[in-house]
Amino acid sequence: QAQLISSRKFVPRQGRLEAMDSHSARANTLFCSFVTVLGTTAVLNHLTTKLPQFQTSSTGSVVLNKVHDLTVNTYLNMDQSTFSFDLSHDLTSEFNWNMNQLFVYLVASYNNTSNKRNEVTVWDRIVTGREAAALTAKKLMVEYPMRDQYTELRGRDVRLHVRYRTMPITGLMDTKEVGSSQFKHSTDYFRDESMPAQGSRKR
């Protein structure tokens, strides 16, 4: 079969050439180049913090001081407990040229309830510099009461975890744990004299 070959030649139009060389096309090329260089530099900068001289050696510990109450919050219809604790941590090695801040927090966890996993953040702080990265404190009070929606706090084994999240200028955020301890809740509701009555409002 004979093949038909077109003798027509492609002649680019003047308007098409002008569109390829327009101000918007040039701006798009510059923007794409800028984003590519910026992204590549950010990745390389983050990787430099993985060098041996930037390896961290953070330490921390937490110990229960006293459980002040274990009651029923009648307003929320939940078990509620407040306690104080002794906390220390040294996170100075986390700070380098690429570290913006650290989010330090205390988590109380317990299992074997209606929920398969229970984790409650009861205290936190933001560390913005090397000067504030080391802390030693006694009898700190929880900022957020420990609550259980199924009123199952009594008699539970509770573990306290000192954790922090890194927030670098560029790169990925990591969550790390530097200390933990365990205590057991009372099997009965109680409130000591240092804690005022809470949750007494009715719906």
Side-chain angles (χ1 to χ4, degrees):
Q1 295 180 356
Q3 294 181 352
L4 298 178
I5 301 176
S6 174
S7 60
R8 297 176 59 185
K9 295 182 179 180
F10 175 74
V11 180
R13 296 181 180 179
Q14 185 67 24
R16 184 177 300 174
L17 291 177
E18 291 177 354
M20 294 176 62
D21 198 35
S22 64
H23 293 294
S24 60
R26 292 183 180 183
N28 181 67
T29 301
L30 290 174
F31 177 76
C32 291
S33 300
F34 170 76
V35 171
T36 301
V37 172
L38 181 64
T40 303
T41 304
V43 171
L44 293 176
N45 287 344
H46 174 67
L47 292 177
T48 61
T49 62
K50 305 299 182 182
L51 295 174
Q53 57 266 38
F54 292 113
Q55 293 301 308
T56 62
S57 57
S58 301
T59 59
S61 65
V62 61
V63 178
L64 176 72
N65 176 61
K66 182 181 181 182
V67 179
H68 297 277
D69 67 2
L70 175 57
T71 60
V72 176
N73 187 314
T74 56
Y75 181 70
L76 298 174
N77 194 26
M78 297 180 181
D79 273 1
Q80 177 172 299
S81 177
T82 55
F83 55 88
S84 56
F85 55 94
D86 301 335
L87 174 71
S88 66
H89 64 68
D90 187 354
L91 311 178
T92 54
S93 62
E94 286 285 354
F95 280 90
N96 52 55
W97 64 269
N98 191 43
M99 186 57 64
N100 181 31
Q101 63 183 19
L102 302 174
F103 179 70
V104 186
Y105 56 104
L106 182 68
V107 173
S109 66
Y110 56 100
N111 298 319
N112 300 322
T113 65
S114 297
N115 292 321
K116 292 183 178 180
R117 182 180 180 185
N118 301 275
E119 289 192 351
V120 183
T121 300
V122 296
W123 177 89
D124 60 50
R125 71 187 294 248
I126 296 176
V127 179
T128 57
R130 187 182 295 270
E131 298 76 14
L135 173 69
T136 300
K138 302 289 185 180
K139 299 181 180 180
L140 284 173
M141 186 65 70
V142 295
E143 296 177 340
Y144 319 106
M146 185 177 178
R147 294 185 177 126
D148 184 272
Q149 67 188 106
Y150 296 110
T151 63
E152 297 177 339
L153 278 183
R154 288 176 295 173
R156 297 299 173 188
D157 292 321
V158 180
R159 178 167 290 274
L160 301 177
H161 310 262
V162 184
R163 297 174 181 171
Y164 67 95
R165 177 167 293 181
T166 60
M167 298 182 179
I169 298 174
T170 61
L172 302 176
M173 295 190 297
D174 293 326
T175 299
K176 304 178 182 180
E177 182 171 321
V178 290
S180 65
S181 66
Q182 187 169 324
F183 71 93
K184 189 179 184 66
H185 260 309
S186 169
T187 56
D188 298 315
Y189 292 119
F190 73 96
R191 176 184 290 115
D192 67 18
E193 65 280 358
S194 66
M195 300 302 299
Q198 299 181 19
S200 59
R201 292 184 298 171
K202 295 183 179 180
R203 297 176 187 266

